[in-house]
Amino acid sequence: MTVECVVDARNRLGEVPVWDVAEQALYWVDIEGKLLQRLTPATGTVDRWQMPERIACFALRENGGLIVAFASGIAFYDLDTGAIDWIAKPEAHIPTTRFNEGKCDRQGRFWAGTMDDRLTEHSGALYRVDPDRSVTKVLDGIGISNTLVWSLDDTEFYFADTLDGVIDRFDYDPATGAIANRTRIVDLAGTGIGPDGSTIDAEGYLWNAQWDGWRLARYAPDGTLDRIVELPVQKPTSCMFGGPDLRTLYVTSAIWDLTPEQLRDQPQAGGLFALDVGIAGVPETRFAG
């Protein structure tokens, strides 16, 4: 399987790729670089927007622009003007947390989770932003929020805590956005590998980027390991299907704390990669507000 580095971005913490079907472009961030990036594969053009603070995650909006979880809170962002319209800063009273992973459910609600910025405590939480801009805390006691994915039939929600090395599955109510009945389906604790960002394919299987694992893993809905795809970088961070037929799997990665010696062995660390895994993905939903 050919893994191609399509943008040698050198991101310290590349994350959360989002494919825009309308634009036929891939957006992703460098959290630590305070950078939003966009690749247009048809031309090879890469556009960049410098942000006023760390940008953790985002989703496209039906009304144009983005809904963004910056490190400090959630806001609307205008790509043309750079204007920021703040929605909420639910953890302004906790100086040691920041937002991390986020994604829209198929009902057009934006979900975003926080993490302990020191990478030690379970002080993070998961929030849901409804189209009316109301914000609800859904889950707490989180170390590092990751892997926000919904099953194809919208009855299950998958969530990872990278600090604990686990992926859990919840029952999901699409009408209300409620989650219940947490079940552990993947446990990598003690392996030195952290489950990071994920996406779902057209067969309902979960693709997970595995931090410090040099790999992607494909899991069945019950957590059974189906496949491992080796990567040329140690710290893949997330993945998303894109391309005209949603058959290109894009993977973000990080340099993070790699030493000069380690970087000699993986010179494209922090890059954006693309590969064909023989399966299509599903399009991402836009925020309905």
Side-chain angles (χ1 to χ4, degrees):
M1 184 178 297
T2 301
V3 180
E4 179 187 2
C5 182
V6 291
V7 181
D8 190 10
R10 310 292 175 92
N11 291 159
R12 185 169 177 222
L13 188 53
E15 265 285 7
V16 293
V18 175
W19 179 258
D20 184 347
V21 173
E23 264 189 302
Q24 289 292 294
L26 186 92
Y27 290 82
W28 80 107
V29 305
D30 179 356
I31 296 177
E32 294 298 324
K34 304 176 183 177
L35 198 64
L36 175 70
Q37 303 153 104
R38 178 180 64 194
L39 168 67
T40 305
T43 63
T45 303
V46 178
D47 300 296
R48 296 177 175 88
W49 292 262
Q50 193 67 48
M51 296 292 162
E53 63 172 279
R54 288 179 292 175
I55 175 172
C57 60
F58 65 94
L60 303 163
R61 291 179 63 195
E62 287 183 1
N63 295 334
L66 309 175
I67 182 169
V68 172
F70 291 102
S72 68
I74 300 167
F76 293 141
Y77 182 81
D78 188 310
L79 288 165
D80 296 324
T81 67
I84 296 173
D85 178 11
W86 287 101
I87 297 170
K89 296 187 177 185
E91 296 185 3
H93 61 294
I94 311 175
T96 55
T97 63
R98 70 160 174 85
F99 273 94
N100 192 50
E101 176 72 280
K103 197 172 288 189
C104 271
D105 64 22
R106 294 189 189 89
Q107 291 70 44
R109 296 174 288 233
F110 182 60
W111 295 58
T114 59
M115 59 174 278
D116 176 37
D117 217 1
R118 302 160 299 180
L119 311 178
T120 57
E121 305 297 324
H122 289 79
S123 51
L126 177 63
Y127 299 89
R128 187 188 72 239
V129 184
D130 285 56
D132 64 0
R133 297 175 60 143
S134 62
V135 180
T136 303
K137 182 189 285 189
V138 179
L139 193 66
D140 58 15
I142 298 164
I144 303 174
S145 296
N146 262 310
T147 294
L148 279 65
V149 174
W150 291 264
S151 63
L152 296 181
D153 64 2
D154 281 334
T155 63
E156 294 175 327
F157 170 68
Y158 301 94
F159 180 81
D161 190 330
T162 308
L163 188 61
D164 292 340
V166 298
I167 302 176
D168 294 334
R169 185 185 65 222
F170 296 79
D171 293 340
Y172 177 68
D173 182 348
T176 64
I179 59 174
N181 301 323
R182 189 175 194 167
T183 303
R184 184 134 305 157
I185 61 168
V186 175
D187 192 343
L188 296 174
T191 65
I193 296 172
D196 208 315
S198 296
T199 193
I200 197 166
D201 65 28
E203 296 178 357
Y205 281 59
L206 198 70
W207 288 86
N208 178 242
Q210 303 202 320
W211 180 269
D212 280 336
W214 299 83
R215 70 188 195 183
L216 297 171
R218 185 185 192 233
Y219 293 103
D222 65 357
T224 302
L225 179 63
D226 172 76
R227 189 189 315 178
I228 287 175
V229 177
E230 303 293 340
L231 297 172
V233 289
Q234 180 178 340
K235 300 178 186 293
T237 55
S238 193
C239 52
M240 169 70 62
F241 286 94
D245 51 7
L246 297 177
R247 295 187 72 87
T248 299
L249 186 58
Y250 289 98
V251 182
T252 51
S253 67
I255 292 175
W256 194 242
D257 58 355
L258 294 174
T259 65
E261 292 75 23
Q262 289 172 315
L263 285 170
R264 279 197 290 270
D265 295 329
Q266 45 184 309
Q268 293 174 321
L272 175 69
F273 296 86
L275 57 157
D276 183 350
V277 293
I279 300 162
V282 296
E284 288 296 302
T285 306
R286 292 174 180 259
F287 180 69

